[in-house]
Every structure is written in C-alpha cells, then in structure tokens.
Amino acid sequence: MTQTYDDRLHAWCVDEQTFPTSASAREKLRFCLQYAILAPSTHNTQPWRFVLGDDSDDSVLLCADRSRGLPVSDTYDRELAISCGAALFNLRVALSHFGCAYAIRILPASAEPDVIASVQLLDEGFVDPVIARHFTSILRRVTNRQLFDAAPVPQVVIDQLCKSAEAEGARLTPVVDESDRLRLAELIDRADRAQLGDARFRRELALWVSASRRDDGMASYSSTESHLLDFASPVLASVVRTFDIGGGIAASHRRIVQGSPLLVCLSTPADNPENWIMAGQAMQRVLLTLTDNGLYASFLNQPIEVDALRADVGAGASDHPQLLLRVGYGASQAHTPRRSLASVVS
C-alpha cells in the first residue's frame, strides 16, 4: 500500500492532551520523544536513535546514528552532532512543559562515542520554565527555503535570538554591515561551486533529494521548492548526481542572501563534539524563538562545510562558526516527513 505524503506527516500531529500523566517514567520519556524527533537535521537525515531503559529504568540514551551521516559534506560528523543536539533541546522543552524533572549528562561514556547524551527523570532533577514557553513552537517550526519578505527583523527580536544562543553557551552574531553580507554571499557562491563541482558531493546530495525517499530526505520539496531545491525530482536528482550544476545553484543562493532581511552566524568557543552538541541545542532554541515571533529561517552552511572557507565566515572572530542562517518573514511552508517513533526508539 502506497504511503501518502499526509501519512508521512503524522509525526507532526502529536496531541499533548494524551500525555500519560499516571504512567511510568519510561512511558513519559517515550511520549516526549515524539517532540525530540521533530528537530531539524542536515538534508533531513534524522541521524538519531534513542535507547530507553527497561520498565524499572527512568532514563533514555540519545545516540548518533552514523549510518545516516554525510561522509562527504560532513566528514567529521559535526553537523550530525548538531542535529542530535537539536533533538536533545526539543526533549528538554517537552519534559519541562510536562513538569518532568530531569538530569542530563553530555557524552556520558568516553568509550561509547555514539552516546550523545543520557537523560534521566529524577524527583530532584531540573525543570526549566523558561524553555517550556517554547513548547507550542516545536510543532509549528519549519525550515523555509523560499524567498523572504523585505520587512526587517525588529531589533528586539534580534536581541532575543542572541540571548537564546547565549543561554546555551553559544554566540549568535547578526551580520549587519552590507559589506559583510556581500562577503558572505561571495563565500556561499564559492562554496556552492566547490561542492557541486565534486562528483562525490553530488552523488551524496542526490541520495537525499531522491523522490524514492518516503520519511526522510528532501524529496518532499520537489513540488514546492522552486528557488533552492529545483533539482529535487527523479530526473533532476539524476542530473545532480551526474553533472556539475554549481554555477546555477550558486547564483540562486547569492540572490537569496542578498534578499534576506537578516543573516546570523552561530558560533561556539571550541570546536569539538561537546561544543557541536551545544551548538545544536543553541540552534534549536534560536529557531523556536524565531517561531515564537512569527519568523522563519533556513540554512546557508555551505562555506562552513568547506574547510578552506570556514575560517573566513567568522571574519577573524575567535569563536568557531558552526551555522549560518537566513532569517525573515514569509509564507507558511509544509513540514518535512519524519520517521516513525518506533523506527528510532528501542
């Protein structure tokens, strides 16, 4: 039986009224994982899995699923760790919303590098009422790759975004000066040409924009995304795999940068797995804050993914750039599909 697009969006229809108030800690954790899996990830790879304790255990392990990594564009699994960090933040928000006190350990087992974090429910644990306010935005957040309206982002909102990143230990830097915007546009242009000029990168990208994907990847954009993913169809995915189309995509992304009301760079003080997980949590807190304010974002991470260009993104700053986002107002967009909870929880 063919799965419809609406079926694949079922994960976005979580009903908070069905939270199992009187159930075990294990069942409460499982319920909240429905919100964790709604986090964004590079190419919608959803590179996570969760291991619940037995019936007497009140913990869950968040693990990296490296089989869903991107060895060409994300050689060191940096973006994979960021994606897992975003899922962890969603879990924190959901637990706080439902009043489930918790304790978290990041990278708790040095001998098990795939274990990103352990989350345990504890009577003496922590509930964060501040992040709980973002709860309703988890279901509303969507990556918007369309052109944004020209309306500027209010300074009061920019300040909120910076404080959101800072609260997670990261730094969010607005790109205000026009010369800096043009510099970033040039870097994105160069990165697009470098990446799409690499046959290995094109094959990897084509795998995730293939229309054969059902509950992950970016094939769902094929009917709606004419600006940034106009190659996401069975025929055009083959073109991506076979031909160097960097020039055309680079020109499109350059126009997107120049037409975006706000560009922001998220950075961390160090560049290691712990900081990547930090960046993921900061990213998701920023994205939910944007959603709270009726704004959208999408990613322009290409120059951060190209080693030779990454340092230039920070323009000499001591922090390490992890993400580059464009922010603005725009038309509503459809969600991307999600894998079922059963397929990522054991």
Side-chain angles (χ1 to χ4, degrees):
M1 182 169 156
T2 302
Q3 187 182 37
T4 68
Y5 183 65
D6 286 342
D7 291 337
R8 288 177 274 146
L9 294 180
H10 178 72
W12 292 94
C13 301
V14 189
D15 182 1
E16 67 172 298
Q17 300 302 320
T18 61
F19 177 74
T21 305
S22 302
S24 65
R26 188 177 192 274
E27 288 307 308
K28 291 177 180 178
L29 280 168
R30 185 180 180 85
F31 184 90
C32 289
L33 289 177
Q34 294 177 94
Y35 296 94
I37 66 173
L38 301 181
S41 56
T42 306
H43 295 353
N44 194 28
T45 53
Q46 304 168 52
W48 44 64
R49 57 189 179 88
F50 301 89
V51 181
L52 284 165
D54 58 29
D55 290 340
S56 61
D57 195 350
D58 51 5
S59 66
V60 63
L61 297 179
L62 164 58
C63 302
D65 184 348
R66 300 194 194 276
S67 70
R68 307 180 73 80
L70 301 167
V72 178
S73 60
D74 187 29
T75 305
Y76 305 106
D77 286 343
R78 181 184 61 84
E79 290 184 348
L80 183 150
I82 289 174
S83 299
C84 288
L88 178 60
F89 185 78
N90 271 7
L91 180 57
R92 288 169 52 199
V93 171
L95 290 173
S96 293
H97 172 76
F98 290 112
C100 300
Y102 59 86
I104 293 177
R105 294 176 61 202
I106 302 297
L107 300 174
S110 58
E112 296 289 344
D114 287 351
V115 180
I116 299 295
S118 66
V119 182
Q120 184 175 17
L121 297 193
L122 296 169
D123 291 339
E124 64 274 20
F126 181 64
V127 171
D128 190 337
V130 176
I131 66 171
R133 298 170 191 161
H134 297 306
F135 177 76
T136 59
S137 286
I138 292 179
L139 295 177
R140 294 187 292 114
R141 184 211 60 80
V142 62
T143 301
N144 189 332
R145 292 175 173 83
Q146 296 290 331
L147 290 169
F148 291 148
D149 299 340
V153 179
Q155 184 60 49
V156 65
V157 176
I158 297 175
D159 293 342
Q160 288 180 33
L161 301 178
C162 293
K163 290 178 181 177
S164 292
E166 184 180 350
E168 297 299 324
R171 181 197 300 270
L172 194 74
T173 304
V175 182
V176 177
D177 189 83
E178 188 61 25
S179 64
D180 286 337
R181 290 170 59 86
L182 292 175
R183 179 180 59 81
L184 285 177
E186 177 64 27
L187 288 174
I188 291 167
D189 184 291
R190 290 168 58 190
D192 279 331
R193 294 175 189 275
Q195 289 186 319
L196 288 163
D198 183 341
R200 298 171 307 140
F201 176 86
R202 296 198 305 274
R203 286 193 294 269
E204 181 175 271
L205 180 61
L207 176 66
W208 291 97
V209 300
S210 170
S212 65
R213 307 205 77 93
R214 290 290 176 260
D215 53 8
D216 59 10
M218 299 183 291
S220 59
Y221 288 116
S222 59
S223 63
T224 61
E225 299 295 340
S226 59
H227 293 97
L228 297 185
L229 287 175
D230 50 0
F231 45 78
S233 70
V235 174
L236 292 177
S238 177
V239 171
V240 171
R241 188 182 305 113
T242 308
F243 300 105
D244 176 2
I245 61 172
I249 299 301
S252 175
H253 283 166
R254 191 181 184 95
R255 290 193 300 271
I256 290 291
V257 169
Q258 293 170 340
S260 297
L262 177 65
L263 299 177
V264 295
C265 180
L266 190 143
S267 58
T268 55
D271 195 33
N272 54 39
E274 186 173 9
N275 274 252
W276 301 339
I277 298 165
M278 175 199 299
Q281 295 187 82
M283 174 193 76
Q284 187 64 355
R285 188 162 182 160
V286 166
L287 294 177
L288 295 182
T289 301
L290 282 169
T291 305
D292 294 343
N293 286 278
L295 286 153
Y296 293 103
S298 65
F299 301 91
L300 292 169
N301 291 331
Q302 300 93 310
I304 298 178
E305 294 170 346
V306 176
D307 288 343
L309 300 176
R310 185 181 177 192
D312 294 333
V313 174
S318 58
D319 285 358
H320 299 265
Q322 303 293 352
L323 298 162
L324 184 62
L325 297 94
R326 51 185 288 270
V327 175
Y329 297 98
S332 62
Q333 298 294 302
H335 287 297
T336 53
R338 285 296 185 274
R339 294 190 289 158
S340 69
L341 189 67
S343 69
V344 298
V345 176
S346 58

